[in-house]
Amino acid sequence: MPSQERIAVLLPCYNEEATIAETVAGFRSALPGATVYVYDNNSSDRTCALAEAAGAVVRTERQQGKGHVVRRMFADIDADVYLMADGDLTYDPQSAPEMVALLLDGQYDMVVGTRRHEAKDAYRGGHVLGNKLFTGLLARLFGRTFNDIFSGYRIFSRRFVKSFPVLSSGFEIETEMSVHALELRMPVGEVETRYLARPEGSESKLSTYGDGWRILKTIGTLYRVERPALFFGSIAALLLIAALILSIPLITTYIDTGLVPRVPTAILVTGMTIVAVLCFFAGLILDTVTRGRREVRRLAYLSFDAPGRVA
């Protein structure tokens, strides 16, 4: 691993006093030359004091939510390689050198730590099912995906971090990162890593149904923003099909009698057809805008040096 690469370990935390000291120690041991940053998100326990005592640089972000913390970390920290993990001791620090080496050797922009849970308590069944469903949905909508889109254990290049807008506010941030990499056709990799059960006294902040709903909305929003032609085109197609089905009795009656007795239905069909046409052209117009935005984002992304390359 090139010695000149500056590595920053980023740990967003909220009430993790039971695990933060050991997490910091684990990453300092695995990556001796790295600087470990702990960003506290309004913890009411001793997270900050324990993290600082363990050798981390402690900073705070007052806006509640992981997305807000990630936005602050990415804006504040200047490094060549960024490692992001959680402060709950569920991600294995010993996988960090392999992930960093893969990022640098392959000149990747993101390496995802695909979780392999060995303990029954490490990963709830509902989360496993949800991960598989959302991973499959992402693959269908965007054409490609990762094996674990919700993993919070990731390594980034500088050009990924500085070109990533961070629009999410909560745990849906991992989904946004995945879509950002896929849409800009970034070189990415994956490394299988152990996913450990939380130690006693440490509680998960995740809500299976609440966070699942937020992630689903995020995927829908990203699909509308990144693929407007397909999004609005699908709505236009559904409306047009419904209008055609409703118009069949009107057409047959008119052929038989020369009359249109169902005036409200005729008005409804006309309105649905007009809306379908408007949706179709709205999709085409927004697709042109999206292509322009994507070009700007791509140019911003390419303005930074590739990982492992010295300017």
Side-chain angles (χ1 to χ4, degrees):
M1 187 183 304
S3 59
Q4 69 270 22
E5 301 295 344
R6 298 168 299 163
I7 302 175
V9 177
L10 311 178
L11 303 175
C13 288
Y14 173 64
N15 289 341
E16 298 289 2
E17 68 174 2
T19 57
I20 188 59
E22 193 172 349
T23 302
V24 171
F27 281 108
R28 292 189 68 193
S29 174
L31 299 170
T35 303
V36 180
Y37 295 90
V38 170
Y39 271 73
D40 179 67
N41 197 203
N42 301 315
S43 295
S44 57
D45 59 10
R46 298 185 301 149
T47 295
C48 292
L50 293 174
E52 191 170 9
V57 177
V58 178
R59 297 179 179 178
T60 59
E61 170 53 46
R62 296 303 180 190
Q63 293 189 81
Q64 196 68 38
K66 187 175 181 179
H68 294 302
V69 181
V70 172
R71 184 183 302 111
R72 179 71 180 273
M73 292 191 302
F74 283 5
D76 287 355
I77 306 303
D78 189 31
D80 300 304
V81 177
Y82 299 77
L83 182 152
M84 188 181 77
D86 294 336
D88 55 10
L89 205 61
T90 55
Y91 295 114
D92 184 10
Q94 298 307 312
S95 298
E98 179 186 0
M99 295 171 68
V100 173
L102 178 61
L103 182 97
L104 296 175
D105 295 342
Q107 291 199 345
Y108 291 130
D109 286 305
M110 181 171 68
V111 174
V112 180
T114 303
R115 293 170 289 184
R116 181 184 75 250
H117 47 284
E118 299 172 350
K120 291 183 178 179
D121 297 335
Y123 210 10
R124 283 179 277 180
H127 291 179
V128 174
L129 177 61
N131 197 350
K132 290 181 178 179
L133 291 175
F134 283 123
T135 297
L137 177 62
L138 202 69
R140 285 183 173 275
L141 294 180
F142 293 96
R144 297 186 300 152
T145 188
F146 300 90
N147 291 319
D148 187 359
I149 63 170
F150 296 146
S151 175
Y153 197 8
R154 299 176 184 235
I155 310 285
F156 307 101
S157 68
R158 174 180 171 80
R159 67 183 184 182
F160 180 101
V161 166
K162 297 307 180 181
S163 67
F164 181 50
V166 192
L167 303 177
S168 301
S169 60
F171 284 104
E172 63 272 22
I173 183 68
E174 284 86 5
T175 305
E176 186 183 355
M177 289 175 176
S178 300
V179 172
H180 179 69
L182 295 175
E183 283 301 287
L184 292 189
R185 300 294 189 266
M186 294 182 180
V188 296
E190 294 182 273
V191 170
E192 190 175 80
T193 179
R194 291 190 305 156
Y195 188 64
L196 310 172
R198 276 177 170 265
E200 186 176 351
S202 175
E203 297 182 359
S204 174
K205 315 302 187 299
L206 296 175
S207 170
T208 301
Y209 298 105
D211 289 327
W213 173 242
R214 292 178 64 179
I215 291 167
L216 183 62
K217 289 195 298 182
T218 298
I219 292 176
T221 299
L222 290 172
Y223 186 65
R224 174 178 57 81
V225 171
E226 299 293 343
R227 303 291 175 87
L230 292 175
F231 181 84
F232 289 100
S234 299
I235 295 175
L238 291 174
L239 287 171
L240 191 58
I241 290 171
L244 289 173
I245 293 173
L246 290 173
S247 68
I248 291 175
L250 298 178
I251 295 172
T252 56
T253 302
Y254 180 78
I255 292 174
D256 293 338
T257 66
L259 301 174
V260 183
R262 302 176 183 176
V263 176
T265 304
I267 295 174
L268 176 61
V269 168
T270 303
M272 293 174 68
T273 303
I274 293 173
V275 173
V277 172
L278 291 175
C279 284
F280 176 75
F281 282 104
L284 290 181
I285 295 170
L286 291 174
D287 187 64
T288 303
V289 175
T290 299
R291 287 178 181 271
R293 288 177 53 252
R294 191 175 294 132
E295 289 175 2
V296 172
R297 288 158 54 196
R298 180 75 182 177
L299 290 173
Y301 154 73
L302 292 175
S303 66
F304 296 96
D305 292 326
R309 183 184 301 164
V310 181

